[in-house]
């Protein structure tokens, strides 16, 4: 598996599995087991996905050496304080049945993210986390962390796909040594992405599916991808993206699909902030 080198020297697989919206524990465990059997080694979960236990079970049963795996989870906003971060991290680790985490992310730029980051820096220094990062942070928030803290974020996980290409964000993050990791690489299947004419035409040239074209396009931009699928055939398909190369012409055609619009909404929108706090209260 091709890897990227994070700003602290840690190697991270460029492709992995995301397990958002697989709440059923049996299904989640089966999906992770299928992915690991195909060759996936990066798994992206979050405390808010409520499936860390299932991920942990699949990992434990796989028998794969710990140092071959790259496991990410995320701190939800209801736990974004210094003290709660330590507790939430310990809970996640226990559910995942792990001694350490490869990557721990602040899920959203809300709450006491400064207290949270101080706790994460300590856990990192104690060797409990190999790399620490953020998610859904705008470039201003990332620069604040870079300037304010001793340890800069290694990763910013943000929505990135053909309809929301994050050209400026990618440029900024690259210039500042922060790895962009795409969430929703397949735009969650929205806006007819799998039947998009441009992507289908490019796929036909290489005998590849639209999903494979998109993942290849992201990887060629040095972006880490974590597509989610519950189907084993699609897990295999999404993994099979290293035997072809998109040309400059292909890249130019895909560039025209950018609408710079999120499928979820703006993390700076107060209604979205309120909605996420409401979700946290029900947890
Ligand atoms: N940090 C954040 O705030 C945040 C937000 C969202 C997601 N994420 C992370 O990013 C990961 C990926 O994003 P996502 O799950 O939202 O969406 P996604 O990976 O863009 O899309 C998943 C959808 O595409 C379908 N799909 C997958 N492979 C396919 C293929 N080869 N052909 C056709 N359809 C295919 C899946 O259906 P089937 O399952 O039926 O195959 C599912 O409906 C998540 O799982 C999560 O780990 C993070």
């Amino acid at each position: 598996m091709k890897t990227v080198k994070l700003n602290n020297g840690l190697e991270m697989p460029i492709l992995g599995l995301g397990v958002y919206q697989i709440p059923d524990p049996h299904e989640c465990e089966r999906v992770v087991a299928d992915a690991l059997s195909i060759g996936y080694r990066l798994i992206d979960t979050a405390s808010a996905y409520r499936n860390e236990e299932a991920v942990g079970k699949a990992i434990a049963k796989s028998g794969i050496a710990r140092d071959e795996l790259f496991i990410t989870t995320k701190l939800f906003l209801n736990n974004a304080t210094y003290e709660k971060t330590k507790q939430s991290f310990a809970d996640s680790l226990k559910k995942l049945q792990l001694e350490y985490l490869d990557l721990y992310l602040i899920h959203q730029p809300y709450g006491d993210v400064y207290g949270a980051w101080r706790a994460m820096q300590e856990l990192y220094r104690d060797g409990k986390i190999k790399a620490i990062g953020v998610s859904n942070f705008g470039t201003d928030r990332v620069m604040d962390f870079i300037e304010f803290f001793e340890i800069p974020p290694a990763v910013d996980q943000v929505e990135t796909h053909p309809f929301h290409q994050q050209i400026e964000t990618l440029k900024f993050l690259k210039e500042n040594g922060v790895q962009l990791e795409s969430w929703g690489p397949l735009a969650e299947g929205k806006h007819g992405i799998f039947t998009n004419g441009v992507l289908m035409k490019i796929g036909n040239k290489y005998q590849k599916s639209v999903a494979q074209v998109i993942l290849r396009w992201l990887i060629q931009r040095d972006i880490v991808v974590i597509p989610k699928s519950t189907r084993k055939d699609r897990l295999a398909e999404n993994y099979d993206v290293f035997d072809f190369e998109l040309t400059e012409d292909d890249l130019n055609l895909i560039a025209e699909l950018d609408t710079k619009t999120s499928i979820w909404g703006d993390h700076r929108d107060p209604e979205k902030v309120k909605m996420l706090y409401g979700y946290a209260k029900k947890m």
Side-chain angles (χ1 to χ4, degrees):
M1 169 62 62
K2 185 174 151 58
T3 59
V4 294
K5 194 178 275 218
L6 302 182
N7 57 14
N8 64 353
L10 186 70
E11 300 276 348
M12 177 177 190
I14 200 157
L15 184 145
L17 169 72
V19 294
Y20 179 42
Q21 289 173 332
I22 319 181
D24 179 76
H26 299 292
E27 182 173 44
C28 185
E29 187 182 331
R30 194 265 306 156
V31 170
V32 175
D34 282 348
L36 293 173
S37 74
I38 288 164
Y40 285 76
R41 292 295 178 264
L42 159 58
I43 311 290
D44 180 272
T45 183
S47 57
Y49 301 170
R50 299 165 187 253
N51 55 21
E52 288 170 313
E53 272 168 355
V55 172
K57 278 187 190 164
I59 291 170
K61 286 184 191 167
S62 75
I64 296 169
R66 177 66 186 91
D67 61 1
E68 281 184 34
L69 297 167
F70 192 105
I71 310 301
T72 305
T73 193
K74 312 184 193 83
L75 174 80
F76 204 52
L77 54 87
N78 54 339
N79 288 316
T81 70
Y82 174 83
E83 290 81 11
K84 286 187 186 171
T85 295
K86 294 236 170 149
Q87 187 55 54
S88 186
F89 173 77
D91 293 346
S92 288
L93 214 55
K94 194 169 172 213
K95 287 179 184 163
L96 289 162
Q97 302 184 42
L98 299 176
E99 298 291 315
Y100 69 88
L101 200 65
D102 297 278
L103 178 64
Y104 197 39
L105 303 177
I106 297 182
H107 207 145
Q108 295 93 5
Y110 314 135
D112 178 11
V113 290
Y114 297 91
W117 196 258
R118 282 204 312 280
M120 286 163 67
Q121 288 190 144
E122 287 178 16
L123 292 163
Y124 173 77
R125 289 194 175 108
D126 289 347
K128 299 300 251 178
I129 314 173
K130 300 287 179 197
I132 52 179
V134 295
S135 179
N136 300 308
F137 272 43
T139 50
D140 61 321
R141 299 288 81 227
V142 173
M143 184 51 91
D144 187 32
F145 268 39
I146 289 172
E147 289 294 327
F148 188 72
F149 286 111
E150 286 166 31
I151 302 175
V155 168
D156 190 9
Q157 185 183 110
V158 290
E159 179 189 338
T160 312
H161 48 74
F163 303 144
H164 194 29
Q165 302 194 3
Q166 303 280 16
I167 308 279
E168 292 306 316
T169 303
L170 178 63
K171 184 169 176 285
F172 168 87
L173 293 176
K174 275 189 178 181
E175 281 167 7
N176 288 282
V178 181
Q179 176 64 46
L180 197 159
E181 181 176 26
S182 151
W183 73 250
L186 306 174
E188 298 185 342
K190 291 178 181 154
H191 302 304
I193 197 153
F194 294 123
T195 51
N196 180 276
V198 171
L199 298 171
M200 283 174 72
K201 202 169 163 196
I202 294 172
N204 287 340
K205 262 203 319 183
Y206 303 101
Q207 307 285 298
K208 290 286 180 184
S209 69
V210 164
Q212 289 170 320
V213 169
I214 296 169
L215 297 171
R216 180 72 213 175
W217 165 73
L218 288 161
I219 287 168
Q220 282 186 215
R221 296 170 73 208
D222 306 316
I223 294 173
V224 172
V225 291
I226 42 167
K228 169 257 175 184
S229 180
T230 50
R231 285 176 39 171
K232 193 169 184 184
D233 58 337
R234 288 180 178 168
L235 290 171
E237 178 185 323
N238 295 346
Y239 192 77
D240 180 23
V241 293
F242 296 98
D243 62 350
F244 73 113
E245 177 114 17
L246 299 173
T247 63
E248 206 61 39
D249 284 349
D250 299 330
L251 301 180
N252 290 337
L253 286 170
I254 298 173
E256 286 174 24
L257 301 179
D258 195 5
T259 59
K260 299 187 196 303
T261 316
S262 166
I263 51 169
W264 181 83
D266 190 338
H267 277 83
R268 290 163 305 178
D269 175 355
E271 284 307 315
K272 289 289 183 187
V273 182
K274 197 172 163 186
M275 185 199 88
L276 284 169
Y277 272 101
Y279 177 79
K281 277 183 199 133
K282 289 191 211 126
M283 283 178 80

